[in-house]
Amino acid sequence: MESHIRGSQWIRYVSVFICLYASLRRTSAVTHYTIPEEMEEGSVVANLATDLGLDVQSLTKRKMRLDVIANRKYLDVNRETGDLYILERIDREMLCPFKMTTSNCFLKLDATIENPIRMFNIELEIVDINDNAPHFRRDTMHLDISESTPTGERFSLNNAVDPDFGTNSIKTYRLSESEHFNIEIQTGRDGSKFADLILTKSLDREKKAIHNLILTALDDGVPTRSGTASIIVRVLDTNDNAPQFEKDNYTMYLSENAHIGSLVAKLNATDLDEGSNSEIEYAFSLYTSEKTQETFGLNPTNGEIHVKSTINYEDFKIYDMEIIAKDKGANSLSSQCKLTVLVTDMNDNHPEISIKSFQSPIKEDVVVDTVIAVVSVSDKDSGENGIVDIHISDTLPFSLKKSADNYYELVISKPLDREKVPEYAITFTVTDRGSPPLFDNETITLELLDVNDNVPQFPQSLYTIPVVENNAPGALLSSPTAFDPDLHENQYLVYFIIEKEIANTSMSMLFSINPENGNLYALKTFDYEIEKEFLFHIEARDSGIPPLSSNVTVHIIIMDQNDNTPVIVSPWRAHGSVVEKKIPRSTDKGSLVAKVIAIDTDSVHNSRITYQFLVNTEATLFSLDQYNGEIRTTRMFSYRDARHQRLIVIAKDNGEPALSATVTIKLSTVETDMKSYSDMTEVPLEHDIFSDLNLCLVIGLGSVSFLLLSTILVTIVLKCQKPKHSKAAPPSRNSVISSERNSTFADSTLVSNDAYWYSMFLAETRKGKLVVRQPAPKGSRYVVSSLPRGTGLTETSDSAASTLQYSK
């Protein structure tokens, strides 16, 4: 009986197995679904009962269940509705970690029902979405590059990774703006992207020692995601300076129960070197106790000292530590300082401030009420101790406006001016209302960008530049330089001369200016006697947009040089340089023998003439006035004095070096009394009229001869003086002869107004007339009247006198 029962059970098991196998054969087809990853929990994938041809009402009765081949159950079946829904978020990158480069990621499930037992194979293809941003394995990459590295050199950079697939993976890289570096994107055999840093411009350590770059990796998904990494390029230098702290000893106060990680002090050591030689590492020295090192942590990179463990005022009140700053040079140098931390007994929490948003730099012309930062404040305490007040310095052109609970906006309250303050250190101070109150502060630095709002300024409004005549063309005259307090192109100035014509000559033909530095040059040689001054303007214009400019007046004054030799205009010389004169031997002491007159066309200082004897055959007989050139006798002639005297007079100007002219006067003494010295100068003596043998006879004959000669000369002079009447107009006292500069009169060529006066004086005197010069009314002129000798000034007849007018 027992064996019969066992046999029947065996038969039943076999029949069940056969039915199950047949069912599996019938359902061997795989039901395939495609869904994106990261679907929300509870999301319906499909109605499994409908897709498998099952009755929804029998799912519960037939105990439909879902078996997951993997270890985790991501989906399940609702037996009441037959829906296949998401039980747990599906992450394709976690489900298929090794299929980042292929699109095939499947999740295989088995759906089983009973009565009879049937099994269905379900396959879900998980489609990738762009849910991962590219990221770098290292957030910061350090590169040490020697400043002698040639351009074109390549430097490998760490590539970014993106667990997404296809277009959602990394597409390209971008580098922040830099004038020295660029990147070149390479594609690996597996399709991955990486970038090489290319040096495009030579480095100069003295100009810039550290270059901070940002490398951004971007995918091609929708939306596009990116990741960044910092590239710090340090220009290498030799290590010859040790780090130096600002002070040798620091004292800091710290409240007890300060938060772990609170900043106690930030020690700043500076190294004058560059590159890795100026990178400083901070460390505690061996003189710092183990308890102090357990309580405080020192950041080896930035020198910040933070609280590392709980501080109890009752345990320790004073902590002493010694910090060493050591650079990273090949032969490292170091220095140390001492820090004393005094613990204060306080039991509150400090208020905190957080910079949520900050815009820097900004342009200096930004409008008032512009928001430049958003900050939030908080305090872990409660009640009055948790109420936080925030403020900034009243001297700053900023104000705080409350925007929401514990949120404040930093706005501009007054116009900014970069030329006065190029940057602002804005310190936010937060204080709670506890007793005693606690506070904290945070400082941000706002940098201002320049705009072209300043006009170039010359240090003076007028440049008076003396230039000595006979200058060399191209000589530097001056450098009228302007200043512009703006920056960069807004302060780059260009100079040029404002065009102006003088006597049909453009300023650009006379002067030139260097547009870069304002150096002013002369283009020609100037002559004081022709041009005495120039007045023009120079403009300085900056390179901003729009450009601003200003101008300055330049007054060029030509300075005289002693380049004109004096010209002797009296006594008049018809030929050669020797003047022969006859004087009575009975001439009294102090009598005027001759008058030497010279003129010089240079300036007043250089044209001042002095007279001296070069040769005087009888030094005790004649004297010469050095200022007016009058030669007079110092005594009467004696029988011992020679009959012929030779005088050489030099007329010397006041220049440096002095120029001169000479005249030779040959004097012959006669016994006859002579009335007109000018007539004697016109008639040379051909033989001596004196004789030592018979003085009385000679005197008698000389007197008779002189009277006869005088009569003849007077007759000739009177005939020559008769005026020649013009057909156009009769002679009149008011007739005018205009004599301009360089006009010719008599035998002398005039080179100045005084020369004209002297030459006319000589010519009219030879004709026996008296010449009088008087100022003309209303103008810088003279009226010169020529009168016959012996006629008084008030008795001048209309027919005998002529008036000559000339410009001074």
Side-chain angles (χ1 to χ4, degrees):
M1 185 70 178
E2 182 178 355
S3 61
H4 176 76
I5 294 174
R6 290 179 178 176
S8 62
Q9 289 178 349
W10 182 82
I11 293 172
R12 186 164 55 248
Y13 289 149
V14 170
S15 63
V16 170
F17 175 78
I18 294 172
C19 290
L20 179 60
Y21 176 77
S23 176
L24 290 176
R25 290 289 299 242
R26 289 194 300 270
T27 59
S28 61
V30 177
T31 303
H32 182 85
Y33 297 105
T34 301
I35 63 171
E37 63 174 328
E38 302 292 343
M39 289 184 66
E40 294 288 340
E41 295 179 3
S43 299
V44 176
V45 176
N47 191 285
L48 195 60
T50 302
D51 294 340
L52 298 179
L54 301 176
D55 184 8
V56 175
Q57 303 298 329
S58 64
L59 295 181
T60 303
K61 182 179 180 180
R62 299 183 67 177
K63 297 180 182 181
M64 186 176 189
R65 64 182 180 273
L66 198 67
D67 296 327
V68 182
I69 298 178
N71 294 328
R72 300 176 65 175
K73 187 174 183 180
Y74 292 100
L75 296 98
D76 204 352
V77 177
N78 189 332
R79 295 179 180 178
E80 296 179 355
T81 63
D83 291 335
L84 178 67
Y85 65 92
I86 302 297
L87 186 65
E88 181 180 350
R89 285 179 178 269
I90 302 174
D91 188 350
R92 177 185 180 278
E93 288 73 33
M94 183 178 294
L95 184 63
C96 304
F98 302 105
K99 296 186 178 181
M100 296 170 56
T101 59
T102 62
S103 59
N104 300 324
C105 180
F106 298 99
L107 179 62
K108 296 184 178 181
L109 311 173
D110 288 338
T112 305
I113 59 173
E114 298 179 359
N115 299 323
I117 296 176
R118 294 182 64 185
M119 183 177 293
F120 303 92
N121 294 330
I122 302 173
E123 183 180 72
L124 274 79
E125 182 180 357
I126 310 301
V127 179
D128 181 53
I129 64 172
N130 193 25
D131 59 339
N132 292 280
H135 69 276
F136 290 87
R137 294 183 177 89
R138 295 172 58 187
D139 293 335
T140 303
M141 291 175 274
H142 294 273
L143 293 177
D144 294 340
I145 303 177
S146 173
E147 60 179 329
S148 61
T149 302
T151 58
E153 190 74 15
R154 292 174 176 267
F155 302 91
S156 297
L157 301 176
N158 291 336
N159 64 313
V161 294
D162 191 334
D164 291 326
F165 167 76
T167 58
N168 296 329
S169 63
I170 295 175
K171 180 68 174 180
T172 186
Y173 292 88
R174 291 178 185 172
L175 185 67
S176 59
E177 184 176 354
S178 173
E179 63 175 333
H180 293 278
F181 296 97
N182 202 348
I183 60 170
E184 184 176 302
I185 301 173
Q186 305 287 341
T187 303
R189 294 182 178 179
D190 57 352
S192 61
K193 304 284 186 177
F194 60 93
D196 287 342
L197 187 66
I198 310 298
L199 181 63
T200 59
K201 184 178 179 181
S202 298
L203 300 174
D204 190 344
R205 181 192 60 82
E206 286 71 26
K207 291 183 178 179
K208 192 171 184 180
I210 296 178
H211 297 262
N212 293 308
L213 308 174
I214 301 297
L215 182 63
T216 304
L218 301 97
D219 60 24
D220 203 21
V222 178
T224 301
R225 295 181 181 270
S226 62
T228 60
S230 297
I231 303 175
I232 301 177
V233 179
R234 293 171 290 186
V235 183
L236 300 180
D237 186 30
T238 57
N239 188 26
D240 56 353
N241 291 281
Q244 295 293 330
F245 287 94
E246 295 176 353
K247 295 189 297 184
D248 294 332
N249 295 280
Y250 295 84
T251 301
M252 305 299 296
Y253 293 87
L254 184 66
S255 62
E256 68 170 331
N257 298 325
H259 296 292
I260 294 177
S262 297
L263 180 65
V264 178
K266 179 176 174 58
L267 301 179
N268 183 30
T270 58
D271 194 326
L272 298 179
D273 292 326
E274 298 291 340
S276 60
N277 296 327
S278 65
E279 295 178 6
I280 300 173
E281 291 182 340
Y282 300 87
F284 290 114
S285 72
L286 297 176
Y287 297 99
T288 304
S289 65
E290 292 183 2
K291 176 61 179 177
T292 300
Q293 296 187 40
E294 292 174 357
T295 306
F296 299 96
L298 173 61
N299 189 317
T301 303
N302 56 24
E304 292 181 350
I305 298 177
H306 298 271
V307 177
K308 192 165 67 173
S309 63
T310 303
I311 298 175
N312 193 339
Y313 175 82
E314 289 70 28
D315 294 338
F316 285 90
K317 298 179 178 61
I318 300 175
Y319 292 90
D320 293 318
M321 60 191 79
E322 186 179 71
I323 293 89
I324 296 176
K326 182 173 64 175
D327 61 31
K328 296 182 180 180
N331 299 317
S332 61
L333 303 176
S334 63
S335 63
Q336 59 276 341
C337 72
K338 292 183 179 180
L339 173 64
T340 301
V341 178
L342 303 178
V343 181
T344 59
D345 187 15
M346 299 188 68
N347 298 315
D348 298 328
N349 291 292
H350 287 267
E352 297 179 352
I353 182 171
S354 176
I355 309 299
K356 298 299 183 182
S357 176
F358 175 51
Q359 180 181 359
S360 177
I362 62 174
K363 291 186 177 181
E364 61 175 317
D365 61 348
V366 65
V367 298
V368 176
D369 292 334
T370 299
V371 179
I372 60 173
V374 176
V375 299
S376 66
V377 295
S378 61
D379 195 318
K380 296 180 180 179
D381 295 327
S382 60
E384 289 292 324
N385 295 332
I387 300 175
V388 179
D389 298 319
I390 180 172
H391 70 275
I392 60 175
S393 175
D394 296 335
T395 61
L396 296 174
F398 309 101
S399 62
L400 288 169
K401 292 184 179 180
K402 190 172 183 179
S403 59
D405 290 341
N406 297 327
Y407 279 84
Y408 296 86
E409 293 178 345
L410 180 67
V411 299
I412 297 174
S413 60
K414 298 178 182 178
L416 306 178
D417 189 349
R418 188 205 62 80
E419 286 71 33
K420 293 181 179 178
V421 182
E423 66 178 20
Y424 290 92
I426 306 171
T427 301
F428 299 93
T429 302
V430 288
T431 308
D432 63 22
R433 298 182 183 179
S435 181
L438 298 178
F439 67 92
D440 197 2
N441 57 65
E442 179 75 19
T443 300
I444 60 176
T445 301
L446 176 64
E447 181 183 355
L448 300 184
L449 298 177
D450 183 56
V451 297
N452 193 26
D453 57 348
N454 289 277
V455 176
Q457 296 292 331
F458 286 91
Q460 57 196 70
S461 60
L462 174 65
Y463 284 86
T464 301
I465 304 172
V467 179
V468 180
E469 67 170 329
N470 301 318
N471 59 289
L476 175 64
L477 303 183
S478 182
S479 298
T481 305
F483 170 74
D484 193 324
D486 291 324
L487 287 180
H488 308 306
E489 67 274 1
N490 296 330
Q491 71 170 177
Y492 297 151
L493 301 182
V494 178
Y495 301 87
F496 56 90
I497 298 174
I498 298 178
E499 279 298 337
K500 174 184 178 183
E501 288 191 359
I502 297 179
N504 296 326
T505 302
S506 173
M507 280 293 103
S508 60
M509 301 296 293
L510 302 176
F511 304 96
S512 70
I513 190 169
N514 188 318
E516 295 180 356
N517 55 27
N519 288 344
L520 184 64
Y521 300 91
L523 296 181
K524 60 168 287 186
T525 300
F526 298 108
D527 189 348
Y528 171 81
E529 286 71 35
I530 299 176
E531 304 150 323
K532 292 183 172 55
E533 64 178 6
F534 298 94
L535 195 68
F536 56 92
H537 298 280
I538 290 177
E539 181 172 317
R541 181 181 299 168
D542 61 29
S543 302
I545 300 177
L548 302 178
S549 63
S550 64
N551 58 64
V552 68
T553 303
V554 178
H555 186 196
I556 304 293
I557 299 177
I558 307 301
M559 307 297 291
D560 183 49
Q561 272 189 337
N562 191 29
D563 58 345
N564 290 280
T565 304
V567 177
I568 296 176
V569 298
S570 178
W572 179 78
R573 295 164 288 172
H575 304 286
S577 60
V578 177
V579 176
E580 295 185 357
K581 281 182 174 288
K582 291 183 180 182
I583 60 174
R585 197 170 181 84
S586 60
T587 301
D588 293 333
K589 174 183 178 181
S591 298
L592 179 63
V593 175
K595 182 178 178 65
V596 179
I597 300 175
I599 61 173
D600 193 321
T601 58
D602 288 322
S603 62
V604 176
H605 176 77
N606 292 329
S607 64
R608 193 173 299 148
I609 307 296
T610 56
Y611 304 90
Q612 294 177 351
F613 279 130
L614 281 182
V615 175
N616 186 355
T617 55
E618 189 60 52
T620 61
L621 186 56
F622 302 101
S623 67
L624 173 62
D625 190 305
Q626 64 174 340
Y627 297 111
N628 59 22
E630 292 181 350
I631 302 175
R632 296 181 181 273
T633 57
T634 57
R635 59 178 175 81
M636 293 188 65
F637 285 91
S638 67
Y639 69 93
R640 294 186 183 88
D641 294 326
R643 296 174 181 80
H644 302 286
Q645 300 290 336
R646 183 168 174 267
L647 305 177
I648 300 178
V649 179
I650 181 172
K652 185 185 301 183
D653 62 23
N654 197 40
E656 185 64 34
L659 302 177
S660 62
T662 60
V663 60
T664 301
I665 302 175
K666 184 176 180 182
L667 298 178
S668 299
T669 58
V670 295
E671 295 294 340
T672 305
D673 186 13
M674 304 180 66
K675 295 181 180 180
S676 176
Y677 294 159
S678 62
D679 292 342
M680 295 299 294
T681 62
E682 299 292 339
V683 181
L685 296 177
E686 297 181 357
H687 59 277
D688 293 339
I689 60 172
F690 299 102
S691 175
D692 292 335
L693 299 177
N694 195 340
L695 183 59
C696 293
L697 181 59
V698 171
I699 292 174
L701 294 175
S703 299
V704 174
S705 301
F706 175 75
L707 291 175
L708 178 60
L709 182 60
S710 297
T711 302
I712 296 172
L713 291 176
V714 169
T715 302
I716 295 173
V717 170
L718 290 176
K719 288 183 178 181
C720 293
Q721 270 188 322
K722 289 182 180 180
K724 297 179 181 179
H725 300 288
S726 173
K727 294 180 181 180
S732 173
R733 180 173 179 172
N734 296 325
S735 62
V736 175
I737 301 174
S738 296
S739 175
E740 298 296 335
R741 185 172 180 169
N742 295 333
S743 298
T744 304
F745 189 89
D747 297 324
S748 300
T749 300
L750 303 183
V751 291
S752 71
N753 296 323
D754 288 337
Y756 168 75
W757 154 245
Y758 290 129
S759 298
M760 191 190 68
F761 171 80
L762 294 176
E764 294 296 297
T765 302
R766 295 191 195 103
K767 297 177 182 179
K769 293 184 179 181
L770 177 64
V771 181
V772 179
R773 181 171 69 166
Q774 294 178 330
K778 297 182 179 179
S780 56
R781 296 172 178 268
Y782 287 104
V783 175
V784 181
S785 299
S786 176
L787 308 174
R789 288 188 178 274
T791 304
L793 293 176
T794 59
E795 299 175 357
T796 305
S797 63
D798 293 341
S799 61
S802 62
T803 301
L804 299 101
Q805 179 178 342
Y806 75 100
S807 300
K808 185 177 179 181

